Amino acid sequence: DLSLYGFLEEIELKVFELLLTVSGVGPKVALAMLSALRAEEVARAVGSDDVKTLTRVPGIGPKVAQRLVLELRE
């Protein structure tokens, strides 16, 4: 399957690529996250261990949000 994704800003692409490195997060979930939150909000939520903000995204439960924080903290 070949898919093409487009982004308005380069930071969105960078965050999308980072999200794909987390186990359990695929392109659909990563796009849903960037649709619900700005790239800066995702970075801020991960950096401050804000699982509650991440779980606002459809398809992101507490376990996946915790995994995002754990794997992307640096």
Side-chain angles (χ1 to χ4, degrees), residues 25-37 52-61 64 68:
V25 176
K28 288 182 181 182
V29 172
L31 284 175
M33 182 167 282
L34 288 172
S35 294
L37 303 171
K52 187 174 182 178
T53 297
L54 297 174
T55 56
R56 289 190 329 203
V57 177
I60 301 288
V64 174
L68 280 163

Side-chain angles (χ1 to χ4, degrees), residues 1 7 11 13-14 19 23 25 31-32 34-36 38-39 45 48 51 55 57 71 73:
D1 181 19
F7 302 94
I11 189 168
L13 172 62
K14 300 279 187 199
L19 291 172
S23 59
V25 176
L31 284 175
L34 288 172
S35 294
R38 293 188 336 257
S48 64
V51 173
T55 56
V57 177
E71 292 186 25
R73 189 172 297 155

Side-chain angles (χ1 to χ4, degrees), residues 2-74:
L2 184 60
S3 299
L4 181 64
Y5 302 100
F7 302 94
L8 293 175
E9 298 178 11
E10 188 172 343
I11 189 168
E12 291 174 336
L13 172 62
K14 300 279 187 199
V15 170
F16 178 77
E17 290 172 340
L18 278 173
L19 291 172
L20 292 180
T21 65
V22 176
S23 59
V25 176
K28 288 182 181 182
V29 172
L31 284 175
M33 182 167 282
L34 288 172
S35 294
L37 303 171
R38 293 188 336 257
E40 295 84 4
E41 289 176 304
V42 173
R44 191 175 314 115
V46 169
S48 64
D49 297 339
D50 188 0
V51 173
K52 187 174 182 178
T53 297
L54 297 174
T55 56
R56 289 190 329 203
V57 177
I60 301 288
K63 287 184 179 182
V64 174
Q66 196 66 25
R67 193 174 316 123
L68 280 163
V69 168
L70 182 66
E71 292 186 25
L72 297 178
R73 189 172 297 155
E74 346 40 74

